[in-house]
Amino acid sequence: MTQRPIILGIVGDSAAGKTTLTRGIAQVLGEENVTIICTDDYHRYDRKQRAEMGISALHPDCNYLDIIQQHLNLLRTGQPILKPIYNHSTGEFDPPEYIKPKRYVIAEGLLGYSTRGMRDSYDVKVYLAPPEDLRATWKINRDTRKRGYTPEQVMDQLSKREYDSEAFIRPQRQWADVVVSFYPPPDEMKQDDLLLNVRLVLRPTIPHPSFSDLLDRPDNHLGSAVRLGLDRDMGKPVDVLEIDGHATSEQVHELERLMCNEVPYLGQFCSLNGNQGIGKVVGTTGETLQSFPLAMTQLLITYHSLKAANVFQSLQQIPARV
Ligand code: G6P
């Protein structure tokens, strides 16, 4: 009988920022407390086979979704898995890896919410939805710097995979508790990763911090850097939190202070960890990303994870579902 791990899902299309966000959250939670799983490892075919078959890695048939689900369930109950490894450099599979879940498990990938069983495995589901032109820029940067492709090859892949993105990846947005969209401020002539705004769609499928209480406090100095509103997402009403990439460092600290003081569990976490999560986060290609939107997202997601952890703690022990 042990306290079971908290499972966080990060899903989105290729180069939507999943790995960067995952790393940022792991930094906040403490890397020693986090097991990261990338579902690319569950591709059914290697690169050569996919090319021969004319199937993309985004197609459900190209992935062992049933084994992802099985492994998530094992991790959720604290059990180890023997995880396959897809090697992005060679396009082939390496020998599998023995993985034991730590206190938090982050499962990131393309198709993590495509079956009911998978969706039921997470405590918090995040979907990353940057504007398509920004995603294309990120994909070109990553795949040319880290995966040995030319910009033309990446553009070609993007257009070849568009059908699968629309059919299989984007519909998963509907299942997310939080939809995260980083986007350049509309007035920005030059796209700059350091100055991205972030828009968080907060679905009522999990409890969210009471942002309206925080933002309505007369003693806050956030100005218009953080805005809360109502919108519709995929036909349903949602709360939307917008955070300005131009926020000053004073405003950043103010938000951190408010959240750490006001949000139960998060405050506890911040004091325990000496605010170590608030700072620069390094992207997958080594660039330093602007800390604010990421830190904010991390805080938010951290809050949910800790809240879930606390609920489990209060139940004392979770019987393993073996
Ligand atoms: C996309 C996805 C990856 C996936 C890859 C497989 O780039 O972002 O997550 O593993 O497709 O294709 P590859 O380029 O390795 O043959």
Side-chain angles (χ1 to χ4, degrees):
M1 298 265 276
T2 47
Q3 185 197 322
R4 76 159 176 81
I6 304 301
I7 317 283
L8 169 63
I10 310 259
V11 166
D13 209 335
S14 182
K18 300 184 292 291
T19 307
T20 302
L21 182 63
T22 298
R23 281 196 193 169
I25 295 167
Q27 278 175 25
V28 174
L29 294 171
E31 274 159 16
E32 66 287 2
N33 300 320
V34 182
T35 300
I36 296 174
I37 302 291
C38 175
T39 62
D40 289 353
D41 288 326
Y42 296 80
H43 290 332
R44 188 182 292 260
Y45 309 111
D46 66 20
R47 189 175 295 155
K48 190 161 162 277
Q49 291 171 317
R50 269 183 272 123
E52 284 164 5
M53 296 168 75
I55 189 170
S56 96
L58 278 55
H59 198 291
D61 291 350
C62 201
N63 294 274
Y64 290 115
L65 298 184
D66 50 353
I67 306 296
I68 299 177
Q69 181 176 317
Q70 190 185 80
H71 280 187
L72 286 173
N73 275 312
L74 287 168
L75 295 168
R76 193 181 159 90
T77 52
Q79 297 177 75
I81 58 167
L82 200 55
K83 186 182 70 57
I85 299 183
Y86 175 70
N87 184 324
H88 280 280
S89 308
T90 61
E92 294 172 356
F93 296 97
D94 288 346
E97 185 184 13
Y98 179 85
I99 295 210
K100 257 189 156 155
K102 297 184 183 149
R103 186 164 173 211
Y104 302 98
V105 174
I106 307 182
E108 58 127 326
L110 296 164
L111 291 161
Y113 306 150
S114 30
T115 68
R116 171 80 195 265
M118 283 158 94
R119 296 195 289 275
D120 286 348
S121 308
Y122 302 95
D123 294 290
V124 181
K125 296 190 284 299
V126 176
Y127 182 83
L128 277 171
E132 280 296 291
D133 51 352
L134 182 60
R135 183 173 76 84
T137 307
W138 284 348
K139 187 162 170 66
I140 292 167
N141 284 345
R142 182 195 67 187
D143 289 1
T144 54
R145 288 186 209 169
K146 293 188 67 188
R147 298 190 182 173
Y149 290 99
T150 65
E152 294 69 33
Q153 285 172 321
V154 183
M155 295 300 289
D156 185 48
Q157 289 206 348
L158 276 167
S159 70
K160 284 197 178 127
R161 292 172 180 196
E162 172 53 28
Y163 178 86
D164 285 351
S165 289
E166 185 60 20
F168 306 118
I169 308 294
R170 288 176 206 139
Q172 297 177 97
R173 176 186 181 121
Q174 68 187 293
W175 308 112
D177 304 307
V178 182
V179 180
V180 182
S181 303
F182 295 103
Y183 65 97
D187 57 342
E188 214 62 36
M189 294 303 288
K190 179 170 115 18
Q191 281 197 358
D192 184 348
D193 266 0
L194 303 184
L195 277 180
L196 295 177
N197 291 357
V198 65
R199 181 176 193 270
L200 301 175
V201 168
L202 309 171
R203 292 232 176 78
T205 43
I206 52 170
H208 295 283
S210 175
F211 287 107
S212 52
D213 290 353
L214 294 190
L215 300 179
D216 288 348
R217 285 174 60 130
D219 60 340
N220 98 59
H221 306 291
L222 290 169
S224 59
V226 182
R227 302 174 291 277
L228 192 64
L230 286 173
D231 204 347
R232 295 184 82 81
D233 191 82
M234 298 192 98
K236 305 246 170 65
V238 288
D239 285 327
V240 173
L241 190 71
E242 297 252 5
I243 303 140
D244 198 336
H246 287 101
T248 63
S249 52
E250 288 73 33
Q251 287 169 324
V252 174
H253 287 129
E254 173 73 358
L255 184 66
E256 289 165 5
R257 187 184 67 77
L258 283 171
M259 287 200 65
C260 291
N261 287 342
E262 304 296 330
V263 178
Y265 315 122
L266 183 59
Q268 197 188 347
F269 178 80
C270 291
S271 58
L272 275 178
N273 288 276
N275 260 355
Q276 60 169 239
I278 321 297
K280 296 246 183 272
V281 173
V282 179
T284 46
T285 45
E287 75 283 18
T288 302
L289 300 178
Q290 204 259 359
S291 64
F292 183 44
L294 259 122
M296 174 62 206
T297 312
Q298 291 157 11
L299 284 172
L300 187 73
I301 294 162
T302 303
Y303 163 77
H304 295 307
S305 304
L306 289 166
K307 186 158 171 66
N310 189 283
V311 171
F312 299 129
Q313 255 162 23
S314 71
L315 291 174
Q316 294 291 312
Q317 286 158 328
I318 301 295
R321 272 195 299 160
V322 191

